[in-house]
Amino acid sequence: MTRGAVALLATLNLLACGAAVEPSKGSTGSDGSPPAAARAGAGAPGIGDPHFPLDGNGGYDVAHYALEIGYVPASKHLDGEATIRATATQPLSRFNLDLHGFKVSEVTVDGAAARFSRDGDELSVTPAKPLAQGAEFAVRVAYSGEPQPVRGSSNLGTYGFIPTKDGAFVTAEPNGARTWFPANDHPADKATFDFKITVPRGVTALANGELLSRKPAAGGGTTFTWRESNPMVTYLATATLGKFRLREGKTAGGIPNLAATDPRYAGALDKLYERSGEITDHWVKVFGPYPFGSTGGVIDDFSAGYALENQTKPMYGGFEPDESIIAHELAHQWFGNSVSIKRWKDLWLNEGFATYAEWLWAEHRGDSTAEQRFRTALNRAADDAIWSYPPGDTRPDDLFHESVYLRGAMTLHALRQEIGDDTFFKLLRTWAAEHEHGNATTDQFTALAERLSGKQLGSLFDAWLFQPRRPAV
Ligand code: TRP
Ligand code: ZN
């Protein structure tokens, strides 16, 4: 999706990397200047996130991923064909995609064979003809092999496309989309998705958005076609495969709702369906219109012990979620999925908000107030790790630190106390509306809070988000 800032970042990154501009091929344009092709350089290998320098790529902006995936659980073999529509944001002699593992058999750009090479997770593509700035192009990548999920590069264990006994558990935050498709794998480049997934008979494929069709496949098996027609960051894409019980319908408020559970959690299907619907409808009242075409949730039997807010289909790994965690993952549909971060240091905009939503849900249920939860956290010992880790500046080696969640939520509560309930809830709704389906930064949030409240909030945000010590309250 085109965002000026992303293009600018990419350009700055290109300059910073000192990427060489390839020499002119001799011919000149009719006005004497070199044609775009001759001036074209290489797209940067990263999108410009200082904490994750090789994540995403520079020089283009993806609009759409069309993914055709065949997967056989017994052999763990994946056959993929990805067609990516994008716009060049600079003249490009070559550009990169992120891809982890697999054998790439063929790459084309606008139908013409392209040269390609691999270096770590960078797949570098040289089109037959350079791309002019502003050119829309389609790159098609054919690849296959056994998916290799990422281990240990964050504090969350394994993530990405994780093979399971009956299929796959796919949760890819922060940069595991590349473990199952070639991607501009960074949240700053959102795109729409089509999924065509072929699996053996009896296996169900659950991807984002809505199911368009389910048909017998030519060579046996079943092909599921899903479409996510709203922009989505790459880490939220899923193709979760396995034996599932499904319950489909609408929430009381009229939002299509789909719950799915592994047979081992069959007894939790109705509760998952009902709570997900009820909580989605409640968040509509608090945060504003639901940003996507459907809601729901999936419980798989892979014992991840964690959940991920996959767009339209939060995933619960090996446990029956309670209301609090459902409230958390569904709040992410507004905060994280619709309003997405532009760089990983702002992760509290996702996790602080979703954690605060847990407090709001408890308050709504009459269990405990947000004030009580805030006080309890504030009473943590002076040497507690949340006080030395400022949540507004995440560390790449400890991205999902508890501080990002808990002190992030406390930041919102301190803000609510300062500006009052009316302005605070108006702020949450305005934030969700102004950046719907986009990307935003902490600076934009603090500016909006100051605008709506008419107050100077610099020292509040500085103490809560950026200082390595417990704020004075
Ligand atoms: N965003 C998830 C949550 O807050 C946590 C998470 C981060 C995660 N990376 C993940 C979950 C990878 C699964 C896989 O609930
Ligand atoms: Zn979360």
Side-chain angles (χ1 to χ4, degrees), residues 25 30 36 194 219 302 321 332 355 418 430 437 464 468:
K25 299 270 159 39
S30 53
D194 278 312
F302 175 76
H332 272 310
T355 303
E418 180 66 25
T430 309
H437 302 315
W464 280 99

Side-chain angles (χ1 to χ4, degrees), residues 83-166:
T83 306
I84 302 164
R85 280 199 286 109
T87 302
T89 54
Q90 66 175 73
L92 283 174
S93 59
R94 65 180 160 89
F95 59 89
N96 285 15
L97 289 161
D98 303 307
L99 182 66
H100 183 74
F102 298 110
K103 186 180 179 312
V104 173
S105 55
E106 192 187 12
V107 179
T108 66
V109 174
D110 294 331
R115 284 191 290 127
F116 61 91
S117 62
R118 310 285 305 273
D119 182 9
D121 286 359
E122 299 294 331
L123 166 65
S124 179
V125 177
T126 304
K129 275 188 286 176
L131 298 159
Q133 179 166 351
E136 291 179 16
F137 63 99
V139 50
R140 195 181 132 266
V141 179
Y143 58 104
S144 64
E146 183 179 324
Q148 306 294 329
V150 186
R151 280 165 233 274
S153 78
S154 81
N155 50 359
L156 271 154
T158 303
Y159 59 93
F161 189 104
I162 304 171
T164 60
K165 260 204 285 315
D166 63 352

Side-chain angles (χ1 to χ4, degrees), residues 12 67 69 124 136 161 185 188 192 235 249 269 308 346 354 396 470:
L12 291 175
L67 306 179
I69 308 277
S124 179
E136 291 179 16
F161 189 104
D185 197 10
T192 54
Y235 72 74
L269 180 62
L308 184 66
D346 291 339
R470 175 160 49 189

Side-chain angles (χ1 to χ4, degrees), residues 309 328-329 332 351 354 405:
E309 63 266 23
H328 178 114
E329 306 309 333
H332 272 310
E351 301 306 345
Y405 291 73

Side-chain angles (χ1 to χ4, degrees), residues 230-248:
N230 292 296
M232 176 162 77
V233 303
T234 50
Y235 72 74
L236 295 169
T238 193
T240 289
L241 318 174
K243 296 194 176 19
F244 285 105
R245 307 266 160 88
L246 266 51
R247 181 169 165 192
E248 273 177 279

